[in-house]
């Protein structure tokens, strides 16, 4: 497959002409009960594989893409933004996080194997249907605990896969004409004053939204070490954690509206903090924030509802995925649930960055 257009701008991936994806650190949920949306605790750092070609494993060089450091059992959510409508496929070890089916290079509707942007502002985990998802949690390959291992019986790929499709020509032209008409109407009504709610809270994990200050990372004894070329990495994948209230929205466009070819795709490798230090010479992020301390401090959790959208049905292959605690043991401290006043309701031209090389995956 020909390389598709992907760029890295800071820690943000830009796929195609406007799809932006960020990787957000968060609190890991208990594996029992259903919870509100946990907060964003800052971005994971992202680096290009090609910038560290002499220290990454050979299979990374073959697959290209980028890599992100995660602690064992650390939780993550994906933040999305798009200037125009887009269909985004999300894979966990090349298992679709929406449908539970094997990774496909094309969009499918039955079952739907993508999320629709900008309607879907984030994805915190695998689709469990009925208005819920199960949290993305980092686990090592080789134990069978990943979504990939439980659905396919093998753990070959790990990581996260992303592939974006824009609107096809006629659908894009129609959408742009509609936006121009809305802009004309808005300009005509400008004298009436602003109609937005200036007091609305910032979006969940959005750029500029308040997040707790990250803790300082401990210094590496003796300074950072460099990995040897070809060194095998401690491979990581995504398992399923606790359940939260979050819809994965059904696409209300005909499938024919979307382009036949992706506008961008990328393989996101997950690496342990020690490997991150050896590969990059940089300090990894500090250890995850303590969940109980966060809640006791009165900091916010979130609740999101979009009554105008339809949630997808549960994904059959994902319904039997067991939480990571059944594989790794339960290391949860007693959960301190947030008080009602801590749960906040939410409403619903980038820099070019550096190109990210694609590979064979």
């Amino acid at each position: 497959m020909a390389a598709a257009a992907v760029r890295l701008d800071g820690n943000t991936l830009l796929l195609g002409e406007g799809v932006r994806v960020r990787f957000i650190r968060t609190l890991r949920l208990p594996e029992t009960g259903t919870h509100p949306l946990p907060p964003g605790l800052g971005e994971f750092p992202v680096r290009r594989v090609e910038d560290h070609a002499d220290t990454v494993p050979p299979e990374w060089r073959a697959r290209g893409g980028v890599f992100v450091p995660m602690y064992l059992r650390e939780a993550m959510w994906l933040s999305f933004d798009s200037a125009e409508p887009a269909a985004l496929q999300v894979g966990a070890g090349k298992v679709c996080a929406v449908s539970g089916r094997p990774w496909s290079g094309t969009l499918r509707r039955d079952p739907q194997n993508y999320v629709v942007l900008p309607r879907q502002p984030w994805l915190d985990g695998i689709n469990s249907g009925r208005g819920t998802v199960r949290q993305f949690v980092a686990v090592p390959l080789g134990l069978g605990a990943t979504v990939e291992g439980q659905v396919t019986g093998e753990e070959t790929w790990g990581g996260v896969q992303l592939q974006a499709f824009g609107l096809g020509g006629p659908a894009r032209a129609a959408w742009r004409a509609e936006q121009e008409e809305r802009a004309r109407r808005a300009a005509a009504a400008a004298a009436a004053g602003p109609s937005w709610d200036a007091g609305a809270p910032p979006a969940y994990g959005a750029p500029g939204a308040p997040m707790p200050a990250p803790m300082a990372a401990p210094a590496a004894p003796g300074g950072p070490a460099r990995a040897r070329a070809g060194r095998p990495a401690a491979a990581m994948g995504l398992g399923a954690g606790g359940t939260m209230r979050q819809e994965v929205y059904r696409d209300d466009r005909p499938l024919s509206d979307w382009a036949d070819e992706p506008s961008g795709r990328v393989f996101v490798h997950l690496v342990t903090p020690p490997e991150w230090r050896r590969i990059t010479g940089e300090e990894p992020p500090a250890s995850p924030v303590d969940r109980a301390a966060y809640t006791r401090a009165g900091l916010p959790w979130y609740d999101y509802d979009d009554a105008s959208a339809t949630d997808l049905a549960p994904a059959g292959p994902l319904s039997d995925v067991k939480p990571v605690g059944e594989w790794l043991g339960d290391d949860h401290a007693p959960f301190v649930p947030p008080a009602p006043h801590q749960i906040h309701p939410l409403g619903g031209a980038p820099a070019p960055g550096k190109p990210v090389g694609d590979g064979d995956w």
Side-chain angles (χ1 to χ4, degrees):
M1 178 175 179
V6 177
R7 304 184 75 84
L8 181 64
D9 179 15
N11 295 322
T12 300
L13 281 173
L14 297 95
L15 284 74
E17 298 179 12
V19 173
R20 299 168 64 87
V21 180
R22 297 183 301 140
F23 304 87
I24 309 296
R25 305 186 80 195
T26 190
L27 301 176
R28 182 162 55 90
L29 297 175
E31 293 174 0
T32 58
T34 301
H35 305 276
L37 300 175
L41 300 177
E43 299 175 345
F44 284 96
V46 185
R47 301 290 180 266
R48 301 189 306 165
V49 167
E50 59 209 89
D51 289 336
H52 302 277
D54 59 334
T55 54
V56 299
E59 63 268 24
W60 288 21
R61 294 197 295 269
R63 295 170 186 172
V66 298
F67 59 102
V68 172
M70 293 188 73
Y71 287 85
L72 176 66
R73 299 180 71 156
E74 185 173 12
M76 173 178 70
W77 55 271
L78 305 179
S79 172
F80 306 137
D81 187 24
S82 182
E84 295 190 357
L88 179 67
Q89 294 178 301
V90 180
K94 295 190 69 172
V95 171
C96 177
V98 176
S99 70
R101 302 293 178 85
W103 180 262
S104 170
T106 59
L107 301 179
R108 295 181 180 172
R109 183 59 60 82
D110 187 20
Q112 183 175 313
N113 67 350
Y114 57 94
V115 295
V116 182
L117 310 185
R119 166 55 64 82
Q120 190 84 39
W122 46 70
L123 186 66
D124 287 62
I126 62 173
N127 172 32
S128 47
R130 303 184 182 90
T132 65
V133 300
R134 297 174 61 198
Q135 194 172 38
F136 291 134
V137 177
V139 289
L141 300 189
L143 301 178
T146 62
V147 173
E148 175 187 3
Q150 295 188 58
V151 171
T152 70
E154 299 180 348
E155 291 183 318
T156 302
W157 299 100
V160 178
Q161 297 76 40
L162 301 168
Q163 182 164 259
F165 292 77
L167 290 173
R172 175 177 286 187
W175 181 84
R176 288 181 173 175
E178 180 183 355
Q179 300 310 301
E180 290 173 1
E181 177 61 23
R182 288 184 178 180
R184 282 193 292 269
R185 292 179 181 178
S195 59
W196 61 83
D197 179 6
Y204 166 57
M211 295 181 178
M215 297 179 290
R226 298 292 291 179
R228 295 180 181 177
R231 176 190 177 96
M236 301 271 280
L238 292 178
T243 299
M244 72 188 76
R245 292 185 290 273
Q246 182 178 101
E247 292 86 1
V248 180
Y249 298 125
R250 184 183 303 278
D251 187 7
D252 57 9
R253 289 181 174 275
L255 194 60
S256 58
D257 273 10
W258 301 110
D260 294 330
E261 296 294 328
S263 56
R265 72 169 204 161
V266 63
F267 197 110
V268 183
H269 308 268
L270 304 181
V271 62
T272 63
E275 286 295 324
W276 171 271
R277 183 184 291 115
R278 283 191 286 267
I279 290 169
T280 66
E282 303 174 29
E283 285 302 309
S287 61
V289 174
D290 178 80
R291 186 181 60 213
Y294 178 94
T295 301
R296 282 196 299 267
L299 296 170
W301 295 64
Y302 298 91
D303 198 9
Y304 182 81
D305 180 47
D306 187 345
S308 66
T310 303
D311 184 36
L312 290 176
L318 300 178
S319 61
D320 295 328
V321 172
K322 295 179 173 60
V324 298
E326 294 197 20
W327 300 82
L328 304 179
D330 186 5
D331 68 347
H332 284 303
F335 178 54
V336 180
H341 71 272
Q342 290 177 258
I343 303 174
H344 294 201
L346 295 171
K354 296 181 178 180
V356 175
D358 191 17
D360 183 10
W361 52 273

